[in-house]
Amino acid sequence: MKRLNANQWMAISSLILLGPALRLLPQLTAAAAGRAAWLSVLPALTLLLFYAGLLSRWLEKRPARAGLPELLLQALGEKPGKALLLLLSLWLSFYGGFLLRSGADRLVVTVYPHSGPAVFAVSMGLACALAALGSARSLGRCAKLMLVPVLGMLLFLLLFAAKSVDTRDLLPVTVYDLPGITRAALPVLDVLSLGLFLPLFLLGQTDTEEKLLPRYSRWLLTESLLLCLLILAVVGNFGAGLTAQLSHPFFTLVRNQVFFQSLERIEALIVSCWVFPDFLLVSLCLYAAQYCLRLALGAQPQRDSGRHTALGDKRWLIPFCALAGILVALTLAPDLASLRLWSERIVPAVNLSLWFLLLPLCLMIGKIRRKTAP
């Protein structure tokens, strides 16, 4: 079976965080830190660089073809490890469903106000199910194909918006802004941690044997700069107060831009481009969910050939996880208020707890078990 290369793996990391970044960062960071919101990237970057160093040292000692699920199983032992994998599978399926629901809401609010979210959630869910039935390398090739046009469009829009930035909405920043900057770092941490940790479920499908810390460090610096530019552009155009009140401030910014002296509105095209990062992120969640579930039930998912029609070795659980995600999307958050609660509080809290509490605890347990093993 052909495996992911390092560039494809990093392309996945870069692309999957774009959807959550546009959904959370300009609004939540502005609400927490005001005009100092653009500095919220710094504390998040500092913590993640430290964490990436620890993570890189741990991953360099992994057995061949072992990803995060196999390492957790090894660290905790068979029964606790399988229980944790089942829990991870449940959360990843739920999170995939939440992403389908939030992505559908963005399309409804910004482009199709007279439609409902169900048709978008179901169609995207079925497409992601097909992607999850394929190989990890297919996800990597898809990410490489999408990365340049999507990032290119984002950078073009941010540079175009820079001409109307008002520095009075960004400065001055004083020492009294530090508490707000610290609070605003939490959503930045949530967004960056998705790109850092979710691809680890694919690590067993990669062919890279190089040290991971230099790649992690360069990736974190680049993505942090991009997020800083995003916050600068939106807050610098609207001000922190208005940014905090808008449901989709980046797309509102796009709607207000006049490109090349033309009054034609192109936000529908730009919003549609963000279907690609959503597609990749949901597909990765479903792929990781089925991988954890099948591994917990005794299958060998790392041996998959990527053939869509093959349902042996418990591959029938892949459409099962996709169906669970679609059902979550259809039943979760019937109104915008409840969707905002899930989006801004519950889901980030679970993700941060998973990556920064549960994962380190499992690593410590695994280290203690190795030292006390006869």
Side-chain angles (χ1 to χ4, degrees):
M1 181 185 67
K2 293 183 178 180
R3 308 173 75 192
L4 277 167
N5 61 46
N7 289 331
Q8 291 171 336
W9 190 44
M10 298 309 294
I12 292 174
S13 297
S14 299
L15 202 59
I16 61 174
L17 60 77
L18 293 181
L22 298 189
R23 173 168 51 87
L24 294 175
L25 289 196
Q27 181 187 29
L28 295 187
T29 53
R35 59 187 167 190
W38 55 281
L39 289 173
S40 61
V41 174
L42 293 178
L45 174 63
T46 303
L47 177 60
L48 281 174
L49 284 172
F50 172 75
Y51 203 169
L54 298 178
L55 195 63
S56 178
R57 290 177 57 189
W58 177 61
L59 292 175
E60 285 167 7
K61 301 176 182 178
R62 74 187 192 279
R65 301 195 68 176
L68 182 61
E70 288 87 359
L71 293 174
L72 291 175
L73 194 59
Q74 181 186 62
L76 298 181
E78 185 174 1
K79 289 185 178 179
K82 288 185 175 181
L84 177 59
L85 290 180
L86 289 173
L87 181 64
L88 284 174
S89 179
L90 285 173
W91 172 247
L92 289 166
S93 297
F94 178 88
Y95 185 52
F98 162 76
L99 292 168
L100 290 174
R101 175 66 179 88
S102 61
D105 174 73
R106 184 180 65 240
L107 286 170
V108 170
V109 171
T110 57
V111 184
Y112 304 104
H114 302 297
S115 301
V119 62
F120 301 111
V122 172
S123 57
M124 176 68 83
L126 292 175
C128 294
L130 287 175
L133 279 165
S135 64
R137 188 167 182 264
S138 298
L139 294 178
R141 291 164 63 186
C142 182
K144 286 282 288 183
L145 185 66
M146 297 174 185
L147 184 63
V148 173
V150 172
L151 275 182
M153 177 173 287
L154 177 60
L155 288 173
F156 167 76
L157 293 171
L158 293 180
L159 291 174
F160 201 90
K163 62 182 176 58
S164 52
V165 166
D166 188 343
T167 56
R168 291 174 297 180
D169 291 322
L170 303 170
L171 297 170
V173 176
T174 69
V175 68
Y176 299 105
D177 294 307
L178 285 176
I181 293 172
T182 304
R183 290 193 301 271
L186 289 176
V188 179
L189 197 63
D190 178 38
V191 170
L192 286 173
S193 64
L194 285 176
L196 185 64
F197 293 110
L198 270 182
L200 295 180
F201 288 93
L202 304 178
L203 188 58
Q205 310 297 316
T206 63
D207 57 9
T208 179
E209 299 296 336
E210 63 182 281
K211 291 183 180 292
L212 295 173
L213 180 58
R215 277 190 175 271
Y216 274 145
S217 300
R218 290 194 298 269
W219 177 84
L220 282 169
L221 289 170
T222 302
E223 298 303 320
S224 297
L225 177 60
L226 181 64
L227 298 182
C228 184
L229 291 175
L230 170 65
I231 299 170
L232 278 168
V234 176
V235 176
N237 273 271
F238 292 143
L242 180 57
T243 300
Q245 296 175 20
L246 295 171
S247 58
H248 297 280
F250 174 76
F251 296 108
T252 305
L253 174 65
V254 171
R255 183 181 300 145
N256 291 339
Q257 297 297 312
V258 177
F259 297 92
F260 309 118
Q261 299 181 347
S262 171
L263 296 178
E264 289 293 327
R265 295 173 59 184
I266 64 168
E267 70 268 18
L269 173 63
I270 294 170
V271 171
S272 299
C273 284
W274 254 255
V275 170
F276 297 123
D278 287 346
F279 165 77
L280 188 65
L281 179 53
V282 176
S283 299
L284 177 57
C285 288
L286 296 181
Y287 186 94
Q290 62 84 20
Y291 194 103
C292 291
L293 182 57
R294 291 168 62 205
L295 189 62
L297 296 178
Q300 299 294 326
Q302 68 271 23
R303 298 178 183 174
D304 281 354
S305 64
R307 290 179 292 129
H308 290 75
T309 56
L311 296 180
D313 201 19
K314 296 184 173 59
R315 278 177 56 85
W316 57 269
L317 289 169
I318 302 177
F320 174 81
C321 290
L323 177 61
I326 292 173
L327 290 176
V328 168
L330 294 177
T331 56
L332 182 72
D335 53 67
L336 290 179
S338 56
L339 182 61
R340 289 193 66 171
L341 175 64
W342 281 100
S343 177
E344 298 175 8
R345 297 189 179 275
I346 300 176
V347 170
V350 175
N351 277 334
L352 290 175
S353 299
L354 180 65
W355 306 129
F356 294 97
L357 294 178
L358 184 59
L359 182 58
L361 178 62
C362 293
L363 300 185
M364 290 175 59
I365 292 173
K367 189 173 182 179
I368 293 171
R369 291 180 74 242
R370 285 195 301 271
K371 287 184 176 180
T372 56

